[in-house]
Amino acid sequence: MESLFDFAFEPRIWRVGELAEALCETVESLYDELIVEGELSNFRRHRQSGHCYFTLQDGGAQLRCVMWARQVQRLYFRPEDGHQVQVRGRLTFYKPRGELQLIATSMTLAGAGARQQAFEALKRRLEAEGFFDPNRKRPLPRFPRRIGVVTSDSGAALQDILSILRRRFPVVEVLHCPVRVQGLQAAPSIARAIRLMNRLPEDRRPDVLIVGRGGGSVEDLWAFNEEVVARAIFASHIPVISAVGHETDVSIADLVADRRAATPSMAAEIAVPDRDELEAMLIRTAQIMRQYLRQGLDRRRQRVHMLLHHYGLRRVPDRLARMQDELQRLEASLQQQVRQLLERRRQTLALLQSRLAAFDPQLPLRRGYVRVRCNGSLATRAHQLRPGDAVTLEFYDGRHDARIIS
């Protein structure tokens, strides 16, 4: 008779796929959802899909993780290697590579202390670079023509800002650039919007920027603690009002901006003057101007009255009479001098005429002399003529031809 103990125990032979499937089912059934804390390493984000791949590690072990793009969009901070984080997700066995893997659904910095530590580290670095220097902060324009608003187009913050601007200063133009205000893409979106506003042509560029969002948790507001947003505000040529969260929340953006508002509504009140206050101020100014004008007219009226009764003004007719007599005397003297000058000029002219007449070439002919010309030339000596020469005799009243015979 054959005993059962005569057969050796043979283990089951598994195919690789069968074993991987069994491991996958076992892991997923036992670890449907869990939170794992560890240090980030080898963090990378796929350029096209947006999925993130990283490793969680501590002193003795490591765990590969993946976070799909739609969950990545909800992250409130930018993960970097070395961050201590808590990752929520489900554990699975990745069969193609035979690896245990965590499918992450959310990620937070490990504890409020870690968030505050990251906040303080960035704050110290930016402060050392002069980002918070009060001397570099610019004043806001008193009467802006155009307000730029960088916030979400779906939140209540935008409607609060628009409502207050319409009530306080309806003539101002509002230019809204919609952005993400939470999640991993929020900070780059806000920074791009600030740069875009600064690159607008001068005739379209806002005079003031309001950058912010309504209240929320620390994670919701974390985009305004990102360095990229701080540097965009610092580089802005347009004055920036930061309006992030509620009054108790102070962000890095609040510290860098030219003005900080506790809420978006308060930012709108800071950005523009109040129409009612302006109207009251104009009324007061008009009253003061009328009072000054009235006082000025009264002073000038008194001055004119005093001048009319002044001794010097009463003597004006006498001075005018004396000046008229002096004018007449000067006029008579001028006329006499002109007559004398004309008489002297006439005498000089007569003298010159008599001198000129004395040199008249016709005067000797009038006295009976004759001018003799031979061959067109004037003959003034007897030896210039010979017998037989034909000559012309010029008299005062005419000429005759003659011939020399001896």
Side-chain angles (χ1 to χ4, degrees):
M1 184 175 179
E2 186 176 13
S3 173
L4 292 176
F5 295 100
D6 293 336
F7 297 95
F9 178 74
E10 292 291 338
R12 177 181 173 180
I13 299 175
W14 295 81
R15 296 178 61 190
V16 174
E18 293 175 342
L19 181 59
E21 184 67 31
L23 288 173
C24 184
E25 292 177 359
T26 302
V27 169
E28 289 183 356
S29 63
L30 293 176
Y31 304 98
D32 182 33
E33 186 176 13
L34 70 165
I35 299 175
V36 182
E37 181 174 330
E39 179 184 333
L40 278 179
S41 66
N42 300 320
F43 186 90
R44 62 185 180 87
R45 185 177 186 187
H46 196 276
R47 183 173 300 177
Q48 295 179 348
S49 67
H51 304 325
C52 290
Y53 302 92
F54 55 94
T55 300
L56 282 179
Q57 63 182 15
D58 57 18
Q62 63 180 17
L63 176 64
R64 291 190 178 276
C65 307
V66 61
M67 178 178 280
W68 308 129
R70 62 180 178 274
Q71 279 79 31
V72 173
Q73 297 297 330
R74 292 197 289 266
L75 289 179
Y76 71 89
F77 70 103
R78 186 173 299 277
E80 296 180 0
D81 287 354
H83 279 170
Q84 192 74 15
V85 296
Q86 290 181 353
V87 179
R88 179 185 295 270
R90 60 184 178 83
L91 202 61
T92 185
F93 185 80
Y94 187 54
K95 292 179 288 185
R97 281 204 295 263
E99 293 179 347
L100 197 63
Q101 182 174 259
L102 180 67
I103 307 297
T105 56
S106 66
M107 180 191 303
T108 61
L109 289 171
R115 287 194 299 268
Q116 187 64 26
Q117 187 177 7
F119 177 89
E120 294 296 336
L122 178 60
K123 180 180 175 181
R124 286 193 298 272
R125 182 153 52 86
L126 295 181
E127 186 174 16
E129 296 182 35
F131 276 51
F132 311 149
D133 186 0
N135 296 323
R136 60 155 290 274
K137 296 181 183 291
R138 294 153 297 186
L140 305 180
R142 185 70 178 91
F143 301 103
R145 297 169 300 173
R146 190 175 298 108
I147 302 292
V149 180
V150 178
T151 189
S152 170
D153 56 355
S154 59
L158 177 62
Q159 298 307 317
D160 292 342
I161 291 172
L162 294 178
S163 175
I164 290 176
L165 292 179
R166 282 193 295 265
R167 173 175 57 82
R168 287 177 61 88
F169 202 57
V171 297
V172 73
E173 179 184 351
V174 179
L175 186 61
H176 174 227
C177 185
V179 296
R180 297 175 181 268
V181 292
Q182 68 184 67
L184 191 60
Q185 293 304 308
S189 176
I190 296 168
R192 280 195 303 270
I194 295 172
R195 291 193 293 268
L196 176 63
M197 290 286 193
N198 278 269
R199 286 197 296 265
L200 288 174
E202 188 173 355
D203 60 338
R204 293 292 301 156
R205 190 181 308 153
D207 301 311
V208 180
L209 284 182
I210 297 176
V211 179
R213 56 156 292 162
S217 65
V218 174
E219 290 80 5
D220 294 338
L221 305 179
W222 195 259
F224 297 91
N225 290 323
E226 291 282 353
E227 183 175 356
V228 64
V229 174
R231 293 195 177 277
I233 295 175
F234 183 78
S236 174
H237 300 294
I238 306 171
V240 177
I241 302 175
S242 176
V244 182
H246 298 297
E247 190 170 358
T248 56
D249 302 318
V250 180
S251 66
I252 295 293
D254 292 331
L255 299 174
V256 181
D258 298 288
R259 287 287 298 274
R260 184 223 170 188
T263 64
S265 299
M266 186 177 294
E269 294 181 358
I270 293 174
V272 296
D274 187 358
R275 176 179 58 182
D276 296 337
E277 293 178 0
L278 287 177
E279 185 177 356
M281 182 186 70
L282 289 175
I283 292 174
R284 290 195 302 271
T285 303
Q287 293 173 347
I288 293 172
M289 290 178 65
R290 282 196 294 269
Q291 182 180 356
Y292 282 162
L293 287 174
R294 191 179 298 111
Q295 293 175 353
L297 288 174
D298 290 342
R299 287 195 300 269
R300 284 161 178 76
R301 190 179 293 112
Q302 293 173 4
R303 178 66 175 167
V304 170
H305 184 268
M306 182 184 67
L307 290 175
L308 288 175
H309 293 82
H310 194 271
Y311 172 79
L313 190 61
R314 294 200 303 270
R315 302 298 298 172
V316 168
D318 296 338
R319 293 184 62 188
L320 289 175
R322 289 196 301 271
M323 292 174 68
Q324 187 173 6
D325 293 341
E326 179 68 14
L327 180 62
Q328 292 175 352
R329 184 186 66 77
L330 292 173
E331 184 179 3
S333 174
L334 179 61
Q335 292 176 354
Q336 181 180 1
Q337 292 179 6
V338 169
R339 286 194 297 270
Q340 292 175 355
L341 179 61
L342 289 176
E343 182 62 28
R344 288 196 296 271
R345 293 295 184 271
R346 278 195 293 268
Q347 293 175 1
T348 301
L349 180 61
L351 178 61
L352 293 175
Q353 287 176 342
S354 63
R355 290 179 179 177
L356 182 61
F359 292 98
D360 187 0
Q362 296 296 104
L363 187 59
L365 300 182
R366 289 182 180 180
R367 294 174 181 171
Y369 293 96
V370 175
R371 187 178 294 118
V372 180
R373 291 184 181 277
C374 180
N375 297 325
S377 300
L378 184 64
T380 59
R381 298 289 185 271
H383 67 78
Q384 293 177 321
L385 303 175
R386 289 183 174 81
D389 286 346
V391 296
T392 300
L393 303 179
E394 295 181 0
F395 297 89
Y396 172 71
D397 56 352
R399 63 178 64 185
H400 291 286
D401 293 331
R403 186 176 296 279
I404 302 300
I405 59 176
S406 62

